[in-house]
Amino acid sequence: MSDRHRLHLGPIATPDRLLLGPGPSNAHPTVLKALARTPIGHLDPLYIDLMGEVQDLLRYAWQTENRLTIPMSGTGSAAMEATLANTVEPGDKVLVAVKGYFGLRLVDMAGRYRAEVATIERPWGEAFTLEEIEQALDSHRPAILAMVHAETSTGVCQPMEGIGELCRRYDCLLLLDTVTSLGAVPLHLDAWGVDLAYSCSQKGLSCPPGLGPFTMGERAEAKLASRSGKVPNWYLDVSLLNQYWGSNRVYHHTAPVNMNFGMREALRLLADEGLENAWRRHRLNAERLWTGLERLGLELHVPDHLRLPTLTTVRIPEDVDGKAFSLHLLNTHGIEVGGGLGALAGKVWRIGLMGYNSQPENVDLLLDLLETELPAFRQSAPVAAIA
Ligand SMILES: *Cc1c(COP(=O)(O)O)cnc(C)c1O
């Protein structure tokens, strides 16, 4: 019997932060209440009803009729991995359109399932044209085209018109990352011809991290059904999971019931507000931010027509230590903003306005702090002002 590692701690007392970075975003107060409820059994008839509600509300949020629509236990990356694990067979050609960090993650994951991965790339801050996509489909003839709708690393929203039709013409599945768009940016999975998509709970849905919504259409189901071997990932195998989420209710793994309480509440709030109202709110608050940043003389990294309402990349002025200022926001004001990833490391701040946090008061608060407190962080500022 050893007392090593036996810590004597007070109850957890984290401060309330305002999370205006790339995620997680703050959860809605009623979602937090839902999470705090006493768990019920994962085979309790009441829980089975709740599962159906969550599935239907996810179909609404995604605008899809897909039967196989379920929240994966795990974060967005688990649902991301599920789309590939279930559909990729060794040697399948997967074409990934890379225009930021999360495109690279798709490349990494597809390779682990032994896909033959090909990529097309755009600089970080740009999107693909329909012509570029068609050319790549024509020369690579992939089984799956994978791309990111809302690239959180760059703040670019990929225009989707026409891509689904191309994928049908070239007989490939369209796999779409909607992690930073679900619930916040117009998404029409069925109208766009998306065959596989995934998202997360902690960005546009105002819920803490812990679930990864996943959906799969009939064409993707057919590819899953025609596999020659088992899905090489037991936990994410949709054919097993659907025996629990579908009609049989066969135990697979213990559902994180409280996370699903939270998800139900988050999706209920979204349905209450109405999707189009939520999309409009995100757009208006983002425009308020963009106008305010430009008024302060700050430069936005992404051209107007490709900007993502949920995530704005703003260039760090050359005479400012970006990290020092974001630490100041966190330590002095309890506000989190993100830094750049990969090609944009040290070059941009990433400002998120997602779900519950997409509110004009939050925009105005951040703009006010940039106006009054950023000048002291300029290298040309008098030294005394920094202290
Ligand atoms: C956050 C994010 C992910 C990963 O989701 P996690 O919940 O962090 O696992 C994937 N893709 C995009 C575009 C993201 O922004």
Side-chain angles (χ1 to χ4, degrees):
M1 168 67 208
S2 157
D3 272 349
R4 225 163 89 80
H5 306 301
R6 183 182 180 189
L7 307 180
H8 293 279
L9 304 175
I12 189 163
T14 47
D16 285 340
R17 303 269 203 221
L18 177 60
L19 302 177
L20 300 181
S25 183
N26 288 71
H28 192 286
T30 67
V31 171
L32 294 176
K33 273 197 192 148
L35 286 164
R37 297 189 71 80
T38 305
I40 60 177
H42 66 113
L43 294 170
D44 185 318
L46 288 177
Y47 189 71
I48 305 283
D49 289 346
L50 179 142
M51 289 164 68
E53 291 162 358
V54 168
Q55 289 183 289
D56 251 342
L57 288 166
L58 277 176
R59 291 184 187 107
Y60 168 66
W62 257 322
Q63 293 292 288
T64 182
E65 296 299 325
N66 289 348
R67 177 180 80 103
L68 287 179
T69 301
I70 56 180
M72 290 285 171
S73 306
T75 65
S77 303
M80 183 180 202
E81 184 145 357
T83 56
L84 293 162
N86 283 279
T87 54
V88 172
E89 288 192 88
D92 276 354
K93 199 157 208 186
V94 174
L95 174 66
V96 186
V98 179
K99 60 178 188 323
Y101 176 86
F102 291 101
L104 293 173
R105 184 173 294 184
L106 281 166
V107 170
D108 184 355
M109 282 186 184
R112 288 167 192 251
Y113 288 97
R114 297 199 279 141
E116 192 192 310
V117 184
T119 60
I120 46 171
E121 301 201 25
R122 293 294 303 162
W124 292 35
E126 298 179 19
F128 292 91
T129 65
L130 202 54
E131 293 69 43
E132 286 165 336
I133 301 278
E134 173 153 29
Q135 233 170 39
L137 289 175
D138 193 38
S139 58
H140 293 287
R141 303 282 166 164
I144 299 173
L145 167 67
M147 61 198 310
V148 177
H149 180 222
E151 192 33 276
T152 323
S153 63
T154 66
V156 165
C157 188
Q158 170 66 47
M160 292 306 298
E161 292 73 25
I163 297 177
E165 286 94 88
L166 280 181
C167 287
R168 273 161 182 70
R169 189 159 357 120
Y170 286 90
D171 194 25
C172 80
L173 298 178
L174 175 56
L175 188 167
L176 193 65
D177 177 319
T178 65
V179 171
T180 306
S181 48
L182 185 65
V185 176
L187 256 182
H188 304 272
L189 284 201
D190 287 359
W192 291 352
V194 176
D195 300 293
L196 287 153
Y198 57 90
S199 191
C200 75
S201 48
Q202 76 274 15
K203 293 178 186 174
L205 295 182
S206 315
C207 189
L211 289 177
F214 164 97
T215 190
M216 172 184 242
E218 281 172 14
R219 297 170 78 232
E221 266 195 62
K223 178 134 177 44
L224 169 61
S226 72
R227 291 187 73 96
S228 56
K230 283 186 182 179
V231 171
N233 183 319
W234 182 87
Y235 198 76
L236 300 174
D237 183 339
V238 173
S239 52
L240 299 179
L241 286 167
N242 194 47
Q243 293 179 40
Y244 173 57
W245 283 91
S247 51
N248 303 343
R249 308 300 172 185
V250 178
Y251 165 70
H252 178 261
H253 66 272
T254 307
V257 290
N258 287 54
M259 275 313 301
N260 278 289
F261 291 172
M263 182 59 103
R264 179 196 184 274
E265 175 60 12
L267 292 167
R268 186 190 73 80
L269 290 167
L270 179 63
D272 236 30
E273 179 177 16
L275 256 189
E276 287 186 313
N277 291 331
W279 294 342
R280 189 174 317 115
R281 173 169 55 85
H282 282 84
R283 179 91 214 162
L284 290 175
N285 289 322
E287 283 172 357
R288 188 184 187 97
L289 175 68
W290 300 337
T291 309
L293 290 170
E294 285 178 332
R295 184 175 49 76
L296 294 176
L298 293 167
E299 220 180 311
L300 299 181
H301 180 65
V302 175
D304 199 12
H305 68 285
L306 295 177
R307 266 178 221 156
L308 181 60
T310 40
L311 193 287
T312 297
T313 40
V314 52
R315 296 208 180 116
I316 298 167
E318 287 202 345
D319 62 348
V320 169
D321 176 346
K323 185 82 193 159
F325 185 67
S326 53
L327 271 176
H328 167 73
L329 286 179
L330 187 68
N331 293 331
T332 313
H333 301 287
I335 297 176
E336 179 175 278
V337 302
L341 283 178
L344 296 178
K347 300 201 171 109
V348 298
W349 288 302
R350 290 187 297 154
I351 302 172
L353 292 171
M354 303 175 181
Y356 180 61
N357 281 355
S358 172
Q359 297 176 27
E361 300 74 38
N362 292 338
V363 174
D364 294 348
L365 173 63
L366 185 63
L367 288 173
D368 189 50
L369 289 172
L370 282 166
E371 180 163 18
T372 54
E373 303 193 4
L374 182 58
F377 284 80
R378 295 199 175 253
Q379 265 151 33
S380 51
V383 175
I386 297 176

